[in-house]
Amino acid sequence: MAGSVILALASCHQAPSDVTFHAAGFPKTLDEWGLFTVKDHRITPHKGMVTYELATPLFSDYAQKWRTIWMPPGASARYEPEKTLDFPVGTIITKTFYYTVPASAPSPGESNEVVKMTPATYQTGVDGLDLRHVRLIETRLLVHRADGWIGLPYVWNADQTEATLQRTGADIPLTFIDGADRTDFVYSVPNQNQCGGCHTADYRTRALGPIGPKARHLNRDFPGPGGNVNQLQRLVRLHYLTGLPSANVPRDAAFDDASAPLDARARAYLDVNCAHCHSPTGPARVSGLWLHSTVPDPRRIGVCKPPVAAGGGGGDRPYDIVPGRPDLSILPFRMASTDPGAMMPETGRSLVHQEGVALIEQWIAQLKGECRVDRDGRDQMAMR
């Protein structure tokens, strides 16, 4: 009798019904935050948690991501035109990484086979996620405490009923299925210290902070239950954003939107995947390669710019970008590498983002100009 009661409880997992902000400490389970309920093969957000998406998301080994924001009652973020939105103390940002698994998988949470997302497997996450053909991998929290932001990675169990804090990270072997192609790889959950590798955008303060929720990444239509709605305006209506101007809000393109200009798509892709490091204040500032989508100087984005201390990571190619010649450009070479000494980004992936590499190669191929060396030995770009 006792055993059947335990099984019944395990099959109907109940999280706390209210979000609980922990101002200190390291809660051992995701449940302690009261963010979600997992029941009947579905994970559901609790009251006050708002789902959002980015126009172009960061690539993470083809993982799908469910993003939410929670703020204390009465609190709002303040609009920023360039930087991340100014979130109040008490904010909890979540990002749940998951994969679709084969329909034949008897236990999705134990399936080591994962399949590429298609329109048929896409979920908006507005009312949660259907877990019947989903393997939950991890949920990362960014928590804004009084002394700054902290990152906490929680890894889901095989039953998909609970996620536990893994401050030292975790390695999860998987097989990625893309049509007839199968690729074995190791999905790496970062340890708590590695969060700073990407989320420390200013070397002067070395403070952690969010990367994705900037106005230009959020300024897109979101497919909600009432139809498509601009995501920033949605946040305003939900009292989660103040100060949004009525016009001239920056907007980055979706990298896979074939109707958008190629330059806008490529620059947006490099912005969200690279600019948090490659900026005047980021960890890769000494490279001189700055990949924010609005940087106007061609040389700053790599055109005819020789590498700085790239070593063998440059693939014996002369410049970050050679106009018209992706085959001679370092940028796509490093994006297409899985060699730890050459690959970019340096962390956060084991697989090559084939679509991203193809986009950047296509963009470089249509760039005009040529790289020349002047009499003083300086590299210059000459326009054709």
Side-chain angles (χ1 to χ4, degrees):
M1 179 65 177
S4 61
V5 172
I6 292 173
L7 288 174
L9 290 174
S11 64
C12 184
H13 179 69
Q14 293 289 339
S17 59
D18 295 316
V19 177
T20 301
F21 177 78
H22 295 269
F26 307 100
K28 292 183 179 180
T29 68
L30 190 62
D31 265 3
E32 295 175 58
W33 294 91
L35 303 170
F36 313 115
T37 291
V38 181
K39 182 180 179 182
D40 298 332
H41 306 293
R42 190 170 190 85
I43 183 170
T44 306
H46 288 172
K47 181 179 180 181
M49 299 192 68
V50 176
T51 297
Y52 72 97
E53 291 187 354
L54 307 182
T56 291
L58 177 74
F59 175 73
S60 304
D61 283 339
Y62 288 101
Q64 297 165 251
K65 301 172 186 178
W66 178 42
R67 300 173 175 86
T68 72
I69 298 176
W70 180 89
M71 297 181 215
S76 300
R78 188 174 72 244
Y79 172 81
E80 291 280 355
E82 295 293 334
K83 300 184 295 183
T84 302
L85 302 182
D86 186 7
F87 292 102
V89 171
T91 299
I92 303 172
I93 298 177
T94 81
K95 184 160 59 172
T96 297
F97 295 71
Y98 69 97
Y99 289 96
T100 300
V101 302
S104 59
S107 178
E110 296 179 308
S111 175
N112 289 331
E113 294 186 333
V114 297
V115 300
K116 192 173 186 177
M117 185 189 73
T118 66
T121 60
Y122 166 75
Q123 300 190 57
T124 67
V126 172
D127 298 316
L129 298 176
D130 184 340
L131 303 180
R132 285 175 294 181
H133 301 296
V134 159
R135 175 168 178 178
L136 297 175
I137 302 292
E138 59 164 323
T139 295
R140 300 180 193 173
L141 304 189
L142 272 177
V143 181
H144 195 185
R145 291 173 169 172
D147 56 354
W149 291 89
I150 184 173
L152 299 172
Y154 290 85
V155 177
W156 287 90
N157 63 5
D159 293 331
Q160 310 205 123
T161 56
E162 183 178 68
T164 56
L165 182 64
Q166 298 289 338
R167 297 179 67 188
T168 58
D171 290 330
I172 303 170
L174 298 171
T175 298
F176 181 68
I177 301 174
D178 180 5
D181 297 329
R182 298 171 62 90
T183 306
D184 294 334
F185 73 104
V186 176
Y187 179 100
S188 292
V189 177
N191 63 51
Q192 193 172 348
N193 291 331
Q194 287 174 317
C195 295
C198 291
H199 286 273
T200 302
D202 192 329
Y203 73 96
R204 295 164 298 190
T205 64
R206 303 199 63 80
L208 261 65
I211 296 173
K214 299 178 176 70
R216 63 184 181 274
H217 301 324
L218 295 170
N219 189 9
R220 54 157 289 176
D221 287 344
F222 185 84
N228 289 351
V229 60
N230 180 273
Q231 196 163 228
L232 290 171
Q233 294 175 3
R234 174 173 173 258
L235 291 174
V236 170
R237 288 204 294 268
L238 293 171
H239 306 291
Y240 266 18
L241 180 62
T242 61
L244 180 68
S246 58
N248 300 319
V249 178
R251 184 186 186 105
D252 268 2
F255 88 100
D256 56 353
D257 180 5
S259 68
L262 177 59
D263 183 75
R265 294 164 55 203
R267 296 295 302 275
Y269 183 89
L270 295 173
D271 187 333
V272 78
N273 281 279
C274 313
H276 46 277
C277 286
H278 284 278
S279 77
T281 60
R285 64 193 178 280
V286 296
S287 70
L289 184 66
W290 300 345
L291 296 175
H292 187 293
S293 59
T294 60
V295 172
D297 184 355
R299 189 175 177 87
R300 282 295 184 193
I301 64 172
V303 178
C304 298
K305 190 188 81 61
V308 176
D316 294 324
R317 301 183 180 199
Y319 304 107
D320 292 332
I321 293 175
V322 178
R325 296 296 303 272
D327 59 312
L328 296 180
S329 301
I330 295 172
L331 191 60
F333 168 78
R334 302 191 78 171
M335 289 174 59
S337 176
T338 55
D339 178 350
M343 61 184 281
M344 282 290 172
E346 295 175 312
T347 61
R349 71 171 179 91
S350 298
L351 299 175
V352 175
H353 189 198
Q354 302 293 346
E355 296 80 2
V357 173
L359 171 67
I360 299 305
E361 289 181 339
Q362 183 185 5
W363 172 61
I364 293 174
Q366 57 82 50
L367 290 177
K368 304 301 181 183
E370 59 181 329
C371 302
R372 296 176 179 172
V373 179
D374 67 14
R375 293 179 181 177
D376 296 325
R378 292 176 298 181
D379 300 279
Q380 301 288 339
M381 181 182 75
M383 299 304 293
R384 287 199 293 263

